Amino acid sequence: MTRYQVVGIGNAIVDVLSQTDDDFLEHMGITKGVMQLIERERAEALYAAMDARTQAPGGSVANTLAGLGNLGLSTAFIGRVRDDALGRFYARSMAGEGTDFVNAPVAGGELPTSRSMIFVTADGERSMNTYLGISAELGPDDVAEVVAGSAQLLFLEGYLFDKDKGKAAFLKAVKACHGGGGRAGVALSDPFCVDRHRADFRRLVRDEMDYVIGNEHEWEALYQCGLDAALAQAASDCAMVVCTRSGADVVLIGQGERVTVPVHRVVPVDATGAGDQFAAGFLYGYASGQHLAVAGRMGCLAASEVISHFGARPETDVKAMFRSHGLI
């Protein structure tokens, strides 16, 4: 069995992107700058209204894996797509980018492959309208223990924690990962998801995770207090804690210290995938044994690359960026 440096589990979502303006968002009733879950009929209506669509494999953890592949790490993705046109596109695209898509598309699935209509305005804000479809049905039967057990790092997407079968899949994967000597972590993903499953998330962070990545709103939602108190509690629960803060310094707690890392500022073109690529840069440093501050700087540089262009995945050699900044 292949020994993977990073195995991710997450929603397998086809991203459909279009540039637009605030008037269009208001006309279509789209809330700017947030991710909204929508039903199938709404998804079809928004898709039909998009101009100059571009299509790419997406999903938060899948985007992170693409970034890690750009950095030269061996990766695999555990996700669920239907055996339909979008599902086959997704599986081919992930494989073409160098990430093993280990689950075959599901034949005869009742729900179609997931898709997210992303409207990007001139200020770089993205308004995401996501139909979860079949990917939200991922469960323990989709997790091959031999794959999760081969991971140096396992990275979980908090969105999948919304269903009991997703929680069961996580626990199965974490057990296999730890059994194989790997380290497991999660991206908290969304403060509303944290609110819905706070007690279970707290148990996951305290009892199962070796590292956790979240933004300030997610950490505050998890512990129901201000950021400093939330991070102090998180650090007592988990060995490695990372907090991004929407353009402010990133806070990292682990390895016996707390460090803050300034973001690398660029003019934003499209904020889609900024958090996902921060995770890729950080995990690259974490996997390669870098000091906490270096791993944080890697995350910030990777995020700056992706927001400088349209789309959620890197278009330049991010490792070369690290070299130019003296990080490797």
Side-chain angles (χ1 to χ4, degrees), residues 5 22 55 79 88 242:
Q5 289 167 292
D22 290 342
Q55 184 171 289
R88 292 188 293 272
V242 181

Side-chain angles (χ1 to χ4, degrees), residues 109-124:
E110 292 183 3
L111 297 174
T113 295
S114 310
R115 73 288 310 268
S116 181
M117 275 61 65
I118 303 173
F119 297 91
V120 185
T121 45
D123 56 4

Side-chain angles (χ1 to χ4, degrees), residues 297-316:
R297 287 185 64 198
M298 288 176 166
C300 291
L301 281 171
S304 73
E305 190 282 336
V306 80
I307 67 174
S308 68
H309 59 76
F310 196 59
R313 299 186 174 194
E315 293 183 348
T316 59

Side-chain angles (χ1 to χ4, degrees), residues 153-222:
L153 294 180
L154 178 71
F155 190 42
L156 308 172
E157 183 176 317
Y159 286 124
L160 280 176
F161 213 57
D162 239 348
K163 292 191 175 183
D164 288 343
K165 62 177 66 177
K167 295 174 184 176
F170 279 12
L171 294 177
K172 179 180 179 180
V174 170
K175 182 179 179 180
C177 174
H178 285 156
R183 292 172 288 178
V186 65
L188 295 177
S189 294
D190 179 72
F192 301 108
C193 185
V194 171
D195 283 337
R196 289 191 293 271
H197 305 280
R198 183 174 293 106
D200 286 340
F201 264 117
R202 285 185 180 179
R203 281 192 292 269
L204 185 73
V205 171
R206 183 185 66 239
D207 298 336
E208 306 291 347
M209 296 292 96
D210 300 295
Y211 65 94
V212 182
I213 302 172
N215 66 33
E216 55 190 321
H217 306 297
E218 292 155 3
W219 285 117
E220 289 170 348
L222 183 62

Side-chain angles (χ1 to χ4, degrees), residues 9-37:
I9 301 179
N11 281 306
I13 300 173
V14 176
D15 285 341
V16 186
L17 297 100
S18 178
Q19 293 178 306
T20 191
D21 55 30
D22 290 342
D23 289 341
F24 176 86
L25 298 182
E26 182 178 356
H27 175 71
M28 297 299 295
I30 297 168
T31 303
K32 184 176 180 178
V34 301
M35 193 283 287
Q36 292 183 302
L37 295 178

Side-chain angles (χ1 to χ4, degrees), residues 3 22 51 63 66 107 110 114 116 123 130 185 224 237 243 272 278 283:
R3 178 71 175 174
D22 290 342
D51 288 329
N63 289 337
E110 292 183 3
S114 310
S116 181
D123 56 4
T130 303
Q224 295 182 286
D237 287 345
C243 177
T272 307
F278 171 87
L283 290 177

Side-chain angles (χ1 to χ4, degrees), residues 1 7 19 25 29 46 59 87 92 96-97 105 116 119 123 125 127 150 159 193 200 220 267 271-272 291 302 318 323:
M1 179 66 198
V7 172
Q19 293 178 306
L25 298 182
L46 290 179
R92 287 195 308 270
E97 293 180 353
S116 181
F119 297 91
D123 56 4
E125 282 287 345
S127 306
S150 71
Y159 286 124
C193 185
D200 286 340
E220 289 170 348
V267 177
T272 307
H291 184 272
V318 178
R323 291 193 187 95

